[in-house]
Amino acid sequence: MRIIKLKLSGKCIAGYLSLLVLANTACNKQLDELTPHNVNFEDQQFLTANGYTKATIGNYSYFASSNYENSWFNISEFRGNNVRIIDQTSTNNLADAKNLDAFNYTNSESKDYGYSYQFWQASYQGLLGINMVLKNVKEDETNPIILQAKAENLFLRANMFFNLVRVYGRPYYQSPETNPGVPLILSPITTTGNPPARATVKDTYAQILKDLATAIPLFSQVNVNSYAGKYAAFALMSRVYLYMSGTFSQPSAEYAKLSAQYADSVILNSGNRLLQGTEYINYYTSPNQSNKETIWAVNHEISTMQLPILLNQPTGVYTGSTQYSTGQVKPSPDLLGLLEAGDLRWNFYKVDKYPNNNTDTFSTTKYTYKYTAVYYSNAAVHHLRLAEVYLNRAEARLKAGDSDGALEDLNIIHTRAGLNGLTGLTGQDLFNAILKERRLELAFEGHNSYDNYRNGLPMIRNYGSFNSTPLTVNATAANVVLRIPLDVMTENANMKQNEQ
């Protein structure tokens, strides 16, 4: 990755910095005259349209970095009821505590005992690179290549903010005008003075939607789905408005209708299609670039990823030991109990027994390695795909009063899985069926606990795990959000903690 440096008043500010508050790094005159091979100064990087494109490609790498991807997955999936921990996750006790922090809802603010610090740091590092591109786009810019770069970076920023507010901000239906969201850093910070406070949840969502709305008319290129496009922005808007659409008992019909409308744009106009039969069965072992169901994904064919290590590690490769034939994080009995006989989604699991455990015999195959020595993945991390958009529209239609349309969308996904269509469902029963379908279809893709909490529902873990008892967390509980990392609290006097 190339490092871009800001050059301001004889000082340079490194583009690859951690945390929320960025410090100036003085460079003496002699060093200013020497530019390392992997460093571009800001005024050089953005001299040409190609410079914007290269910087934008570099910004996608933040989503593929192990710091961001591992922490995002751990926080998003381990806080739900789709996984069961069957053994100590590491021979290192500190690493084990860190892996289980989100699962046990301990929500440590320490960088050593939880992933909050890592997720926050990686997110705001990514935002620095994104904001640097956006800062350099002129207000009256007309070059379509530069405007395409602007659109993609606005999409990436919206995505980054949305994941942050899901983790640190309370569900939207709970007083968004007063509950704190996350700091909205919209330009590269070049001073340690007056660090930003947290915006409200409402203002955070408003910024996300503004970025996406600004981006959509600027997209002019149709690239492979490893890069954002207009319909990725529409799909994300559908998701964001769904998160704003309230609970089933107290829905916001306005936001539900908007979620459905943006889903319409994707379903009717994007050219994406749902895979069927064998294509669907092979979805998670196929490259994303030619996959018409995927809208936006992070490709790992030639870049390492670590998600399979705990979920589904091939024989003999588990780091530091040869006794494991698979990972210590298994699909929960609760999740597997929802799968019907004949459901094609059984193909996303395989029997893979763990030593001394004859109960948890299945592993998920949504993340697997191509090789035993190099951690390249068979499939991408699918952040946006058409199946989710149909399920977004199903839930949104129901909340907006269109039960027939909701059932129709639900059955598109349900029957695609090889099951008979559902009939006669309305009201609460239909809502429950939609959430069940989301859980089955989108398992291990970062939705589980959020789908409960944004709808005012508890996360119920009716099974025990290794050293963990069954657990119920209500949507109004303090610990549904993570604590702000201690390092950030120490450095930023304006930061408000999520008290628990």
Side-chain angles (χ1 to χ4, degrees), residues 54-316:
K54 287 183 176 180
T56 301
I57 292 171
N59 287 337
Y60 282 97
S61 68
Y62 288 107
F63 288 87
S65 70
S66 60
N67 273 349
Y68 185 85
E69 194 168 72
N70 288 357
S71 57
W72 164 80
F73 184 85
N74 182 288
I75 291 166
S76 297
E77 275 299 322
F78 285 23
R79 288 164 63 81
N81 53 8
N82 282 348
V83 300
R84 182 179 191 176
I85 313 297
I86 64 170
D87 200 349
Q88 187 168 338
T89 62
S90 174
T91 54
N92 182 301
N93 289 335
L94 198 61
D96 183 61
K98 189 172 184 177
N99 285 335
L100 297 185
D101 178 72
F103 183 80
N104 290 328
Y105 280 76
T106 309
N107 296 349
S108 175
E109 58 188 348
S110 166
K111 68 174 69 175
D112 296 321
Y113 290 99
Y115 276 99
S116 178
Y117 170 83
Q118 186 170 310
F119 180 68
W120 183 284
Q121 180 192 47
S123 297
Y124 280 100
Q125 283 180 353
L127 285 166
L128 174 61
I130 290 165
N131 285 331
M132 193 177 293
V133 175
L134 295 172
K135 167 182 175 276
N136 280 277
V137 179
K138 299 174 183 176
E139 287 291 331
D140 58 350
E141 184 61 66
T142 59
N143 187 311
I145 296 175
I146 296 176
L147 292 178
Q148 173 76 20
K150 179 179 179 179
E152 291 185 52
N153 280 280
L154 285 168
F155 170 85
L156 294 178
R157 187 168 74 180
N159 208 303
M160 200 76 83
F161 278 141
F162 183 62
N163 285 341
L164 279 164
V165 77
R166 287 199 291 176
V167 171
Y168 296 104
R170 298 200 65 79
Y172 195 86
Y173 79 93
Q174 299 176 13
S175 305
E177 301 88 352
T178 55
N179 279 332
V182 297
L184 294 175
I185 299 179
L186 306 179
S187 61
I189 292 180
T190 61
T191 176
T192 57
N194 193 29
R198 298 170 68 181
T200 65
V201 167
K202 183 177 181 178
D203 287 344
T204 305
Y205 273 76
Q207 183 63 50
I208 293 164
L209 293 169
K210 180 181 179 181
D211 280 351
L212 293 172
T214 304
I216 286 169
L218 302 180
F219 283 109
S220 59
Q221 300 173 12
V222 179
N223 295 319
V224 296
N225 54 27
S226 295
Y227 300 96
K230 176 170 66 174
Y231 292 105
F234 280 133
L236 185 54
M237 289 188 89
S238 174
R239 184 193 290 178
V240 172
Y241 276 118
L242 189 68
Y243 273 61
M244 298 169 67
S245 67
T247 66
F248 176 71
S249 60
Q250 292 185 306
S252 167
E254 174 190 0
Y255 292 143
K257 288 177 181 178
L258 287 168
S259 176
Q261 287 172 15
Y262 285 109
D264 283 342
S265 297
V266 178
I267 292 167
L268 299 175
N269 303 316
S270 68
N272 291 91
R273 63 176 178 84
L274 293 174
L275 302 187
Q276 304 292 334
T278 303
E279 274 192 313
Y280 178 48
I281 290 172
N282 295 329
Y283 184 74
Y284 296 98
T285 57
S286 304
N288 62 286
Q289 295 95 328
S290 59
N291 189 322
K292 296 301 291 183
E293 181 165 332
T294 299
I295 300 169
W296 179 57
V298 171
N299 184 277
H300 279 285
E301 285 186 282
I302 56 172
S303 65
T304 59
M305 71 179 300
Q306 297 179 6
L307 300 187
I309 289 177
L310 291 179
L311 294 173
N312 181 16
Q313 182 73 10
T315 302

Side-chain angles (χ1 to χ4, degrees), residues 413-431:
I413 303 303
H414 192 72
T415 57
R416 192 268 290 264
L419 303 171
N420 294 327
L422 301 168
T423 60
L425 295 178
T426 59
Q428 185 72 53
D429 290 339
L430 179 54
F431 178 70

Side-chain angles (χ1 to χ4, degrees), residues 454-467:
R454 65 179 176 80
N455 278 301
L457 301 173
M459 189 289 296
I460 301 174
R461 204 179 283 157
N462 60 8
Y463 53 90
S465 292
F466 180 73
N467 288 344

Side-chain angles (χ1 to χ4, degrees), residues 335-353:
L335 173 65
L336 295 176
L338 297 176
L339 282 166
E340 300 178 34
D343 193 320
L344 292 179
R345 289 169 294 209
W346 275 112
N347 289 282
F348 304 148
Y349 303 89
K350 70 173 183 177
V351 175
D352 194 356
K353 292 184 179 181

